[in-house]
Structure formats: C-alpha cells, structure tokens
Amino acid sequence: MCRTGGPPESSGTGGEGRMEAAFAALLEDSAEELYESAPCGYLSTLMDGTIAKINTTLLDWLGLERESVVGRMRFVDLLTVGGKLYHETHFAPLLRMQGELRGIALEVRTAKGGRLPVLVSSVIKHGGEGQPLLIRSTVFDASDRRAYEEELLRRRQDAERARAEAERAHAEAEEARRQAEADRERLADALAVLQRSLLPDSLPTLPGMETAVYYHTASPDRLGGDFYDLFPIDEGRWAFFLGDVCGKGPEAAALTSLTRYTLRAAAHHDPDPATALTTLNTVLHGRYTASGDPRYCTCIFGVLDPGTDGTTEVRLASGGHPPALVLRADGQAEFLPTPGGLLVGVLSTAPFTAAKATLSPGETILLYTDGLTEARTGTSRDHLFGEEALLAFAADQSPATPREVVTALTGLLEGFGDGLDDDTALLALGVPATDPSTRPATNHSR
C-alpha cells in the first residue's frame, strides 16, 4: 500500500515487493510515449488548420506517414467530402465563436480509401494576451458507436414498417371481413339455387310401381354430396342411381353434377349397370385424378325391368357403395350383395359386377347413403348405427311399401338428433302388393 502523497511503504514480504516493483515499471511511461500511444488520436493544428503535430495512434488509423502529414496537410484534408463541408459551414465557425467543441461526429478518410467514423473534440489555445495560437483536438474511433446507431436506426425502421404493415393488414382484414359478409350472403343465395338443381324436384310416375325418396341435409349452409335420380331409358325400362361424392361444398356440387349427367348419358347409350359405372369411372378419373386432383364417389346404379307376371327384375352394380336392402313380402329383409365394386374415379380401370334380384308384389328395394349407417348413437355418441342394426330395423318393418319404409326411416333419422352429422339420402322402389295399376310417386322430403 502507498501513503497518500508519500513513497510506497516497504514490503513486509518478497511477494508484495515484486508486485510494487511491477506497478512502478508500468508507471514509468514518459509523457511523449503516453501521447503517441494513447487509445485516442491527438493532433494540433495552426489556426488555418495546418497540422503541426499528430500522434502515432491517429496516423495508424489513417494509414499515413508522419512526414506526409505534419506541415503538409490541413485538418480538413483528412476528412471526407461531407466532413469537409460540415467543417467549413459549422465546425470551424462554431469553434472560433465558442473556443471549444466536444463530441462532433465526422468521418475521416484512410490511405486505402476507407472511411472511419470519429468523434472530434477541439479547443483553441490562446496566448498571454488572449490571441488564438493553435487548435488542439482529440479524435475517438466511433466505429462501434456508428454500428450501434445504425442498428438502432434499422430496428426503428423495421418497427415502423412492421407497424405500418400491421395497420395495413388490419385495414385489409376489415375490408375482407365486410367483403366476406357480402360474399356469404350472395353465396347463400347461390347455394340454395344450386342445391335444388342437383336433385330432381320430384320422382316421375312409374307404371306398376311405387317410389319414395327422402333427403336429409346435415348443414343448411353447405352443399350436400349425396345424389339420386330415376328416369326412363325406353318404353318399358327405368334407370335409377344413388350415391355420395367425396367432400362438401361447391367442389362436391360440381362433382355431383358431372356424375348425374354422365350416368344419365351412359344409361341411354348402354343401360347395363356395370357399363354405366365403367363410363362414369373413366370420366371422373380423366377429369380429376389423372390431372392430380383426385375426386371420387360411391354409387349404386340399377335398371328396373317390369315383367308381364307382375314382378320386376332389378339389375344393379355398385361402386364402393353400401349394399341395397330388399324387404320381402314374407317379412324377411336381406342385403343384395354387389361384390367387386371399387370407389368410382380412383383408378383408371375398375371392375364392376352386376347383380340381379326380382321384386315380387309387396316387395321393396331400398338404397341409402352412409349417413344412415354411420349415424352416431348412444349417450356418448361413440357408436355407429351400422348395417346390422339397419337390417334388423328393416326386418321389423317388412313387408312395407316404399312410402312406409321411408316414413319409418325418417323417424329413425330424427331420433338420432345431433348424432346424424352427415347428409343422408333414401330411395325406395317397390311393387305394390295389390292393385298393380299406376300410383303416384312420393315427393322427397327435406
């Protein structure tokens, strides 16, 4: 330890003595060495700016030799063009007026053409009679500070841009919301019209047969994907189909429309059920799947051919659709299997196999979509109604007319409540038990 104002105390141990000797060696720098090797630049200029003295630190920063600077260059010669302009218009006049300036930001040029941001503090030295003699200046490297300031400026600009973008996004969101509300109203009107166009308004009258249909829409603001149709193909035969396209909404509606018109055209060209589904498969695959937008449907297509003995022959084929259900006159109910049917439109070629059944007087065939069998039941809604339950329900109703079957199933669907969350279509076709004369068809319910 050292006493204030006095020489260091003698050390009691050798270690403390060596430490004091090291400190003493460090403090033996001369004033000249401190000036030349200072961590900042020093220079002195005459009042006209001619450099009279400059330290090694500043020379090293500039990459200049002392001989080329002292007495040969002025302070402004070290500055960039912008620095020179600021020096002449602001720095020099203020320095003469105030006698000193502190922390002025300037840029100096290096010998290699680079720029070095610096902070300059200058003071005028006066003589005994008050006359100005020279200017002493200190120069600090402000590279880190400049980088920090630029980073702050960049972040401020980023924040301002982000705020402007957020305000613009908010305005755009408000405009989009208003536009969406208007579009939603227009879409609701269009959906109502389009939904009506996807299904027949009523079923035609079939000589010697009864028909009934029902369509349940799960969501009134979305187009359903279930479809059905019944139409004549010649003087004695009638074609029918029922199915379900993938998806919901306008895209599903477009697929439904294409499916209905394709099947109608195919039936008039060749009414064989397997051939009609093959044609539909080719059209859907070429229109959607082959172009990278796979779309498909399930469908069951059939032909009714009334006989002269009061029976009606049914030939049908299925493309991935639930099997048709036949309610017999003897009180039995059975599924009509249609093996080998794949989803329509998935593969470029798909095998479809036709099946046959004969409807005698008092017998009904029922077609349905999977909204019926996949309805969720139970208190927790975690069980599906399923095909076995449907078969048992149909057996309880058998024998039944198409109207009776659809009426019973409509009540069943209503009993599912919120467990029925998919569109459901029912189409029933039957031969009357008595009076084979023409009876009017039952219009579909909504």
Side-chain angles (χ1 to χ4, degrees):
M1 299 292 292
C2 297
R3 293 190 300 270
T4 303
E9 294 180 348
S10 60
S11 174
T13 64
E16 292 181 355
R18 287 192 297 271
M19 183 178 296
E20 291 184 358
F23 277 122
L26 289 173
L27 296 175
E28 288 179 354
D29 294 338
S30 64
E32 184 65 21
E33 185 175 0
L34 291 173
Y35 177 83
E36 294 293 341
S37 302
C40 61
Y42 287 119
L43 77 160
S44 299
T45 67
L46 302 181
M47 294 305 298
D48 64 357
T50 301
I51 298 175
K53 190 175 183 179
I54 185 170
N55 72 341
T56 303
T57 299
L58 185 53
L59 288 171
D60 290 343
W61 290 351
L62 300 174
L64 299 174
E65 298 295 333
R66 195 182 305 272
E67 293 77 10
S68 64
V69 175
V70 176
R72 297 178 178 272
M73 298 179 67
R74 296 188 306 158
F75 176 64
V76 293
D77 297 330
L78 304 179
L79 304 177
T80 61
V81 175
K84 291 179 180 179
L85 180 62
Y86 184 83
H87 181 274
E88 295 300 328
T89 58
H90 293 79
F91 188 96
L94 287 175
L95 180 60
R96 292 190 185 94
M97 183 184 306
Q98 300 176 7
E100 65 175 345
L101 290 176
R102 299 186 180 278
I104 304 301
L106 295 172
E107 280 189 335
V108 296
R109 295 182 297 109
T110 65
K112 295 182 178 181
R115 295 186 174 192
L116 178 67
V118 294
L119 293 177
V120 179
S121 296
S122 298
V123 62
I124 296 178
K125 179 182 179 181
H126 296 85
E129 298 179 359
Q131 72 279 18
L133 298 179
L134 54 83
I135 302 172
R136 291 175 175 169
S137 300
T138 57
V139 182
F140 292 90
D141 184 349
S143 300
D144 291 342
R145 174 173 174 173
R146 175 67 61 83
Y148 175 71
E149 291 174 344
E150 290 176 349
E151 177 65 15
L152 287 180
L153 178 61
R154 184 186 66 80
R155 293 190 178 186
R156 178 180 178 182
Q157 292 172 341
D158 290 345
E160 291 176 349
R161 282 195 296 269
R163 183 171 60 254
E165 291 175 358
E167 292 174 352
R168 182 169 59 253
H170 178 71
E172 292 175 351
E174 283 297 309
E175 177 60 26
R177 183 186 62 79
R178 290 191 293 269
Q179 185 63 41
E181 291 178 353
D183 291 344
R184 191 175 298 112
E185 293 178 359
R186 289 193 295 269
L187 180 59
D189 295 337
L191 288 179
V193 175
L194 183 56
Q195 184 72 72
R196 290 193 297 269
S197 71
L198 296 176
L199 299 171
D201 291 331
S202 63
L203 294 182
T205 300
L206 273 69
M209 295 197 72
E210 291 182 346
T211 62
V213 69
Y214 175 78
Y215 190 93
H216 166 78
T217 302
S219 176
D221 57 356
R222 295 191 67 183
L223 287 170
D226 293 2
F227 60 91
Y228 60 84
D229 207 346
L230 174 65
F231 54 95
I233 53 178
D234 54 33
E235 291 184 358
R237 294 181 300 173
W238 293 74
F240 63 91
F241 57 79
L242 180 141
D244 184 6
V245 303
C246 65
K248 301 291 182 184
E251 293 179 346
L255 180 57
T256 298
S257 179
L258 177 61
T259 298
R260 287 189 63 213
Y261 289 113
T262 298
L263 287 176
R264 273 181 164 262
H268 287 287
H269 178 72
D270 186 343
D272 177 69
T275 302
L277 289 183
T278 299
T279 301
L280 177 62
N281 185 81
T282 301
V283 171
L284 295 188
H285 186 274
R287 171 63 178 84
Y288 295 106
T289 305
S291 61
D293 183 21
R295 302 289 178 83
Y296 57 87
C297 73
T298 68
C299 182
I300 189 165
F301 182 96
V303 174
L304 300 173
D305 190 1
T308 58
D309 58 353
T311 64
T312 296
E313 182 183 77
V314 181
R315 292 185 297 116
L316 51 78
S318 173
H321 199 80
L325 182 60
V326 179
L327 284 72
R328 295 298 182 183
D330 60 2
Q332 301 296 313
E334 62 183 6
F335 286 116
L336 182 60
T338 49
L342 299 177
L343 293 174
V344 185
V346 174
L347 303 178
S348 58
T349 58
F352 300 105
T353 303
K356 292 183 180 181
T358 299
L359 296 180
S360 299
E363 296 184 338
T364 298
I365 185 170
L366 171 71
L367 280 66
Y368 54 92
T369 55
D370 59 8
L372 170 59
T373 53
E374 294 182 359
R376 292 176 288 108
T377 62
T379 56
S380 58
R381 302 299 189 193
D382 55 358
H383 296 287
L384 299 182
F385 181 63
E387 292 183 351
E388 292 184 2
L390 174 60
L391 182 61
F393 182 86
D396 290 339
Q397 310 302 317
S398 184
T401 66
R403 182 195 301 269
E404 292 170 342
V405 172
V406 169
T407 299
L409 287 174
T410 300
L412 176 67
L413 293 173
E414 293 175 351
F416 290 142
D418 60 2
L420 184 62
D421 55 6
D422 194 8
D423 297 336
T424 304
L426 306 174
L427 174 62
L429 310 167
V431 179
T434 58
D435 187 12
S437 61
T438 300
R439 297 186 183 183
T442 301
N443 290 344
H444 58 77
S445 304
R446 295 290 178 179

